[in-house]
Amino acid sequence: MKNLLLILTIMTLHACSKTSGDHPSDAEITDLLKEKGAIEVRFTSDEGTVHTTPTEKWYERTAESKWKTDVDNVYRWERSDYRYDFVGNKWVYNRSYFGSGWYDGVPNPTEEEIVKILHDSRAGYQGAYFEKPVFKLAEDPKFNWHTFNSVEFMVEATYYKKLSYTEFQKVKATFPVRLYKDCGGGVYNNSVKEILKDAAWLPVRIYLISTDYGKEEILETKTVDSNEADNLQNMIEVYPY
């Protein structure tokens, strides 16, 4: 019985608990980041987490902070976990754990640019036969600039998949596309200011429309006779590799 109570006690001490009292305030974390140069701070949840073990007690809080860059009106956001240790009956800042980052204010490529790049590429559904897709930006593109050179967003494509010699499906797929810019001469450098105004978009060599990364909706299924199937010269086979 004593062993069971000991185990339960240790399990309780190791447990993580969300609290709203015994931990550093959001204002303290905000002040810490602003002292380092952040111009805006926001939190990803209502409260952080206090961790307790038999020998340690610490507090973690996830915050997103906005920072200036060398480019006017372009900012970098960072999402990190901030750790405070409970030492000598007070909370002491220990460190931060970087999670992710992105840029805000970089001009997005236009839908016309995106469609042209994809039409000029060899884009296709993995292992399928179909007409060249009709591309457009998704209703919610979710533009995400990882660096000055790299942006990811959601695209919608409509096309026919070939199920058999005479049977086809009209499909609409929504999936992510990632584009890169080039400084010229094949140099990739996300610290160069000129890349925002002078660099060209690199072509997409092969882009697979895949349900592994997006979602697919079947709009129509149709069957044609063998003569019509013979005449569908625009139906092409795309090899993924």
Side-chain angles (χ1 to χ4, degrees):
M1 184 64 179
K2 289 183 178 181
N3 288 338
L4 177 59
L5 289 174
L6 178 61
I7 292 172
L8 290 175
T9 301
I10 293 174
M11 289 176 64
T12 302
L13 288 172
H14 277 272
C16 300
S17 60
K18 292 193 172 183
T19 86
S20 57
D22 184 23
H23 59 71
S25 67
D26 288 352
E28 183 176 341
I29 297 172
T30 298
D31 289 344
L32 171 76
L33 287 167
K34 289 193 172 181
E35 286 173 6
K36 294 176 179 290
I39 58 176
E40 184 180 338
V41 179
R42 63 194 185 195
F43 296 90
T44 61
S45 60
D46 292 337
E47 54 192 33
T49 305
V50 174
H51 303 260
T52 304
T53 74
T55 58
E56 287 185 292
K57 182 178 180 180
W58 70 96
Y59 175 71
E60 285 185 343
R61 187 79 164 107
T62 303
E64 296 176 344
S65 52
K66 184 178 181 179
W67 306 78
K68 289 183 178 180
T69 69
D70 293 335
V71 182
D72 291 339
N73 301 316
V74 175
Y75 303 92
R76 177 165 174 80
W77 281 92
E78 295 182 358
R79 181 184 293 118
S80 297
D81 292 331
Y82 296 88
R83 171 171 170 160
Y84 285 75
D85 291 340
F86 193 66
V87 181
N89 291 321
K90 65 179 180 179
W91 290 103
V92 179
Y93 174 69
N94 183 315
R95 71 187 77 173
S96 64
Y97 302 91
F98 178 76
S100 60
W102 63 95
Y103 287 91
D104 182 20
V106 182
N108 294 323
T110 65
E111 184 172 49
E112 183 179 4
E113 287 178 293
I114 291 167
V115 169
K116 183 178 187 308
I117 291 170
L118 290 175
H119 276 172
D120 291 345
S121 71
R122 189 183 178 200
Y125 186 93
Q126 185 169 348
Y129 295 78
F130 57 89
E131 294 176 298
K132 196 167 184 64
V134 176
F135 294 104
K136 60 182 288 188
L137 270 179
E139 185 175 341
D140 182 10
K142 295 181 171 38
F143 282 102
N144 182 11
W145 285 89
H146 307 92
T147 68
F148 289 161
N149 303 67
S150 169
V151 62
E152 186 171 301
F153 48 89
M154 300 300 291
V155 164
E156 181 182 293
T158 304
Y159 53 89
Y160 279 99
K161 289 172 59 177
K162 187 172 182 179
L163 303 181
S164 67
Y165 187 62
T166 58
E167 188 176 22
F168 303 88
Q169 276 183 344
K170 186 177 183 181
V171 173
K172 181 171 69 176
T174 305
F175 60 100
V177 168
R178 188 162 179 170
L179 295 182
Y180 298 87
K181 277 190 171 183
D182 187 6
C183 294
V187 178
Y188 179 88
N189 185 340
N190 65 8
S191 66
V192 180
K193 291 184 183 181
E194 287 71 16
I195 198 163
L196 295 176
K197 60 179 182 178
D198 297 330
W201 291 107
L202 294 171
V204 178
R205 300 300 180 190
I206 295 180
Y207 209 98
L208 301 180
I209 303 167
S210 173
T211 52
D212 291 340
Y213 303 99
K215 61 180 181 179
E216 181 182 77
E217 177 185 355
I218 298 172
L219 303 177
E220 175 189 0
T221 300
K222 70 175 184 177
T223 302
V224 299
D225 61 36
S226 57
N227 289 331
E228 185 176 351
D230 288 339
N231 293 329
L232 291 177
Q233 298 298 324
N234 59 340
M235 301 299 289
I236 60 173
E237 182 176 7
V238 175
Y239 296 95
Y241 305 107

